[in-house]
Amino acid sequence: METLDYQRPEDAGREIRAGWRHKMFGFGRREVWDILAREINARHESGGWWKSDRVIARVGPSWQIILDLHTEGGENSTTYTRLRAPFVSRDGFRFRIYRKSIFTGLGKMLGMQDIEIGDSFFDDEFVIQSARPAQVKRLLDNVRIRNELSAQRRVLFQVKDNEGFFGPSFPGNVDELLFLSMGVLKDLDRLRGLFDLFAETLHQLVVIGSAHDAPPSVKL
């Protein structure tokens, strides 16, 4: 089944919001994600015993943004709300952005440095890491990206080169835009904002020359 074209939150689903806003309290995660999919013109796929259901939105002809749940650990496992979007990288640009109060134990990634971008609120709230400070500043020159990140209470937002040993195989020129938030997100506004964050970031990566507007040939 073809994935529908993503619509930005401010343009999408106004009739759905009007009908459901006052009824959201008490909804389960699947109901909220189903409403989300209809609002942003995405597809809500049912999961199975071993995997979460997910919401898939297509952005233009090249990209797919996938929302699902991801669990790590054994007996004391942790569940995260996760968004992913593979893309064709032009220059290997990587970054990681996270709330200081949430992921401060992560430490520095090899070869990366802490960066300030000159926005006092953003610099106070977030740790920004990249081996290419000038490029990450160009990315975050986009006010919409900063605003969407600031709206998220728990943020780990980064570009990775693969999903590790148990993930799908990525071609050498394909990276993945990744968001993780601890717990199960059922806040419709935050979820819509995350899809907008991903769509805006993918387009901005093209603008700054770090991504190619071409299909990544990876199936998640």
Side-chain angles (χ1 to χ4, degrees):
M1 183 183 299
E2 184 181 9
T3 305
L4 301 173
D5 287 323
Y6 168 74
Q7 294 180 359
R8 290 188 183 276
E10 71 270 27
D11 299 326
R14 297 185 187 278
E15 71 284 354
I16 298 175
R17 283 201 292 277
W20 289 102
R21 176 70 64 186
H22 67 289
K23 300 179 182 179
M24 291 299 297
F25 181 77
F27 272 23
R29 188 259 309 162
R30 288 187 177 180
E31 289 86 354
V32 173
W33 285 20
D34 189 55
I35 295 168
L36 169 72
R38 283 182 281 163
E39 284 208 3
I40 64 173
N41 204 30
R43 186 174 82 241
H44 188 191
E45 290 185 347
S46 297
W49 182 256
W50 296 107
K51 64 179 181 178
S52 161
D53 57 330
R54 55 191 195 166
V55 175
I56 305 174
R58 186 178 66 194
V59 178
S62 303
W63 303 307
Q64 284 192 341
I65 306 170
I66 299 173
L67 164 70
D68 64 4
L69 298 180
H70 174 66
T71 301
E72 294 181 354
E75 184 176 347
N76 298 314
S77 61
T78 302
T79 297
Y80 297 89
T81 299
R82 176 176 68 173
L83 279 86
R84 298 172 290 164
F87 66 93
V88 177
S89 174
R90 298 184 64 179
D91 59 3
F93 170 52
R94 309 267 164 74
F95 65 84
R96 182 164 66 176
I97 302 169
Y98 55 92
R99 286 272 186 185
K100 290 182 178 179
S101 60
I102 300 299
F103 293 101
T104 50
L106 286 173
K108 293 185 178 181
M109 295 181 70
L110 184 63
M112 291 198 175
Q113 59 180 287
D114 294 337
I115 300 163
E116 291 189 351
I117 62 170
D119 180 320
S120 58
F121 172 81
F122 203 86
D123 289 335
D124 286 344
E125 290 291 321
F126 293 93
V127 175
I128 308 164
Q129 297 176 334
S130 177
R132 301 178 60 186
Q135 197 72 339
V136 82
K137 288 177 181 179
R138 291 183 68 199
L139 175 73
L140 294 174
D141 276 345
N142 186 308
V143 176
R144 190 165 194 154
I145 292 175
R146 298 202 308 273
N147 288 344
E148 293 295 354
L149 282 169
S150 298
Q152 300 297 326
R153 294 188 294 275
R154 296 178 178 180
V155 175
L156 173 58
F157 188 53
Q158 64 180 326
V159 168
K160 296 182 64 177
D161 59 348
N162 59 61
E163 292 197 350
F165 183 78
F166 295 103
S169 177
F170 280 29
N173 65 336
V174 172
D175 285 343
E176 180 180 84
L177 192 62
L178 172 70
F179 170 91
L180 290 174
S181 179
M182 194 177 299
V184 180
L185 283 184
K186 298 190 294 182
D187 184 315
L188 191 57
D189 288 333
R190 289 184 63 196
L191 289 166
R192 282 198 308 265
L194 285 172
F195 276 87
D196 201 25
L197 168 65
F198 266 62
E200 194 70 26
T201 301
L202 289 166
H203 286 297
Q204 184 72 1
L205 286 170
V206 172
V207 169
I208 67 175
S210 287
H212 196 289
D213 188 5
S217 302
V218 171
K219 184 175 178 59
L220 298 181

